[in-house]
Amino acid sequence: MEPFTTLEAAAIPIDQPNLDTDQIIPARFLGRPRPTQVDALFHDLRYTPDRTPRPEFVTNMPAFKGARIVVAERNFACGSSRENAVTVMVDNGFRAFIAPSFGDIFFNNCFQNAALPIRLDAARVAEIRVLLHAKPGSMVKIDLAAQTVVGPDGKTDRFEIDSFRKDCLLKGVDEVNLTLGYEKDIAAFEARQRQELSWL
Amino acid sequence: MAAAARTMFEKIWQRHVVVDRDDGYTLLYVDRHLMHDGSAAGFAKLRERKIKLRRPDRGFATPDHYVLSSSRAVADIPDPQHRSLVEQIRTNAAESGITLFDLGDERQGIAHVVGPEQGVTQPGLTLVCGDSHTSTHGALGALAFGIGSSEVAHVMATQCLWQRKPKAMRVSVEGKLGAGITAKDVILAIIAKIGTAGAVGHVIEYAGSAIRGLSIEGRLTVCNMSIEAGGKAGMVAPDDTTIAYLKGRPFAPKAAEWDKAVAFWRTLPSDEGATFDRDVSLDAAAIAPMVTWGTSPEDALSITGRIPEPSTAPDAAKKDSMKRALDYMGLVPGTLLEEVPVDRVFIGSCTNSRIEDLRAAAKVAAGRKVVIPAWVVAGSGLVKKQAEAEGLDKIFLAAGFEWREPGCSMCVGMNGDTGKPGQRIASTSNRNFIGRQGPGVRTHLVSPAMAVAAAVTGHFTDVRKLLG
Ligand code: SF4
């Protein structure tokens, strides 16, 4: 997996709370191969039913072109387990998400795709979104090793991340390979379980 | 010294630790892995790496998302990509050696209906599936949660998952539910109270006399929507109801193993005095039939209520999101819920498509006629067969419902079962997200009995008036 170390890029503000994974990528696109899903990102928010782009939607605004960071509202990407919600973001260039809280499964899925979800205080996240609206295209800087986010106003915030996740991201660790290294422990567990829960 | 009092979640968690790392991460063993027609990506990832499934004996699959509700023939699926996904589960199962309940087999159905029905889901086990509503299985006292497709591949390869231990939360519903109040109303009332992010990072244990009084079907409905409350999982302690439900199920333990299993299951409930990181309680008697009015499951109201006024919102952001939701839903604040007309009804999904749901629906439908299009989609072939043996299909057909083939169907519309833009649907499913049942479709979540009440009157109706 590609490592994640630092990222300095334009960020888009997403103001709706509880923006669910069906909004990130509607279900009807999930049966397609990944390369053909790229344009499905925020599909029904971005386009009217006759597929005219809605000029007021943030990813349609020229000033936000090339953005790689999302600054969202609480409970971002709640809903379904579809990993496509992460991959469609990654395939559109996004690598980091900042929000007061996330849907649990989306949060986990990020780490499987070299993307970084960051939880920050709700008031500060709201403040960053206001700054981004005021000056579209302004930059946010993320340093994973230092666990910091520098907002468009130059103010630095520290974020928490599990050291396991941090390490895996920084080194681009492949989790399956990592786990296969614990083969002996897994086999021992299975032998024990065969005794204890023999009906399984 | 006596051992510290532990929660059921804690007991199941501890029993599944393969490795505890110093950094707070645990390699957790997975006892059961359910797969469906959306699991093709996991198999593809595994094939890419040339790894075989570690424990095919622990894998069970059934196609549900992409199967048609009008036909059982794979060849009838019009979209070639969807058809291929249903075909792939067949070839992947054959190649890997997992158990498959295929299209045409009466055991096929929605994975979260099939697992408990087959006795694959059992107390004290860990169970995962590449689907968020895996929380359903916790109703039998299992630790069950949804994962993404990379984690699906990880489980296939290692039978384990890296997890950080979630917190424990207890939601107690005490007292007696009123007449006509179902498990669906209970869980919608819980979500309305705690919000869709109310249980983020937590495993919920549902407790209290009203929960203990629910059948397994009812508990499955409650646990199903734990994810809509933001929870990692939901569970109910196993008791006599659980044990009676599992007895004789095809994959449940038999003979001497049965007794051994039951003895183990009896040790699982949370110990007296076990502490939870969060405790919430509700009064069962205060719960009325619920209907959602907005585009988030927390936007739920009692049927006796009115569409809320955004001006009453606590802050500007909430006001804005209420306005947006009402706009999408085409609703005017202040309108009585009972005066909102409905265009279509869907009874089905992993929330409410079990035999008890169909019985409750048939009870209201009997001797009445639908005035709008209405579907019943059983959760599995066995549910459908059972309903037909009880004559429920006849009641639905006589009332003008369509009686369709098992699968996810209109819950998410991946198989093409979607509504038309602007249509208002009373649905027994679990998500009223924007566009969930098709672009522009307005979804209102209700119980099966409330769905029938809407179908026979053409607007939301307090089912208690029809139960008489
Ligand atoms: S019925 Fe709906 S919620 Fe349940 S698994 Fe199928 S699509 Fe998901």
Side-chain angles (χ1 to χ4, degrees), chain B residues 322-394:
Chain B
M322 275 175 86
K323 271 198 186 141
R324 233 192 325 255
L326 289 172
D327 187 44
Y328 179 80
M329 295 301 285
L331 293 169
V332 180
T335 313
L336 272 172
L337 259 177
E338 283 205 288
E339 281 169 7
V340 175
V342 176
D343 302 313
R344 202 172 165 176
V345 164
F346 170 63
I347 298 175
S349 91
C350 56
T351 317
N352 282 127
S353 63
R354 298 178 186 83
I355 190 66
E356 188 178 280
D357 300 314
L358 304 192
R359 287 182 192 137
K363 198 171 151 201
V364 184
R368 296 193 168 95
K369 287 264 186 240
V370 302
V371 295
I372 48 177
W375 287 14
V376 183
V377 183
S380 73
L382 288 171
V383 170
K384 185 165 185 264
K385 190 173 149 187
Q386 174 70 24
E388 287 168 355
E390 296 179 19
L392 305 184
D393 59 323
K394 301 260 165 23

Side-chain angles (χ1 to χ4, degrees), chain B residues 258-279:
Chain B
W258 169 259
D259 296 331
K260 204 170 146 192
V262 170
F264 165 62
W265 298 343
R266 294 279 188 203
T267 67
L268 294 169
S270 294
D271 299 331
E272 189 86 33
T275 53
F276 291 81
D277 299 289
R278 240 191 112 190
D279 244 311

Side-chain angles (χ1 to χ4, degrees), chain A residues 1 15-23 26-34 36-37 43-45 49 73-84 87 100-109 111-113 119 129 161-168 171 174-200, chain B residues 14-19 21 23-25 27 29 31-32 45 49 51 54-55 57-58 66 81-82 85 122-125 129-132 145-151 153-154 157-160 162-164 196-197 199-202 227-228 230-232 251 253-254 257-258 260-262 264-265 295-296 298 317-318 321 324 412-414 421 431 433-436 438-440:
Chain A
M1 207 174 59
D15 299 322
Q16 292 101 310
N18 298 318
L19 189 95
D20 58 78
T21 49
D22 282 65
Q23 309 316 312
R28 60 186 187 280
F29 296 103
L30 300 181
R32 299 183 180 179
R34 176 166 169 177
T36 66
Q37 290 178 352
H43 191 278
D44 298 349
L45 295 169
E73 242 282 25
R74 75 183 153 86
N75 206 20
F76 180 68
C78 60
S80 101
S81 62
R82 62 189 70 163
E83 196 159 314
N84 316 65
T87 54
S101 58
F102 292 88
D104 263 341
I105 309 179
F106 178 89
F107 191 84
N108 285 335
N109 285 342
F111 298 108
Q112 310 294 332
N113 292 281
R119 292 193 196 101
R129 285 200 311 271
I161 181 171
D162 288 316
S163 57
F164 174 77
R165 292 301 191 195
K166 179 177 172 179
D167 214 44
C168 288
K171 298 187 186 132
D174 177 280
E175 267 190 37
V176 171
N177 286 342
L178 173 78
T179 311
L180 291 174
Y182 289 96
E183 158 62 29
K184 267 205 199 110
D185 301 88
I186 302 172
F189 178 94
E190 287 176 331
R192 202 161 66 235
Q193 197 185 51
R194 256 192 297 279
Q195 298 291 313
E196 293 174 4
L197 307 185
S198 51
W199 59 90
L200 279 193
Chain B
Q14 282 179 2
R15 202 173 252 279
H16 289 88
V17 173
V18 176
V19 177
R21 285 168 52 121
D23 55 20
Y25 262 71
L27 189 61
Y29 198 76
D31 295 327
R32 300 288 203 215
K45 284 181 192 190
R49 313 179 63 126
I51 301 179
R54 181 179 179 91
R55 295 296 301 268
D57 59 319
R58 299 296 182 86
Y66 292 101
Q81 276 157 0
H82 296 176
L85 288 169
Q122 295 170 18
L125 304 188
C129 173
D131 188 276
S132 58
F145 52 89
I147 54 178
S149 57
S150 294
E151 289 187 318
H154 188 275
T158 68
Q159 204 59 30
C160 294
W162 287 105
Q163 292 285 307
R164 189 190 169 83
T196 44
V200 167
H202 291 74
I227 186 80
E228 272 67 53
K232 166 124 185 149
F251 291 87
K254 307 262 154 25
E257 293 285 28
W258 169 259
K260 204 170 146 192
V262 170
F264 165 62
W265 298 343
T295 54
S296 163
E298 71 188 14
K318 182 74 193 161
S321 75
R324 233 192 325 255
V412 68
M414 285 187 189
R431 288 191 173 141
F433 295 164
I434 291 174
R436 174 78 175 178

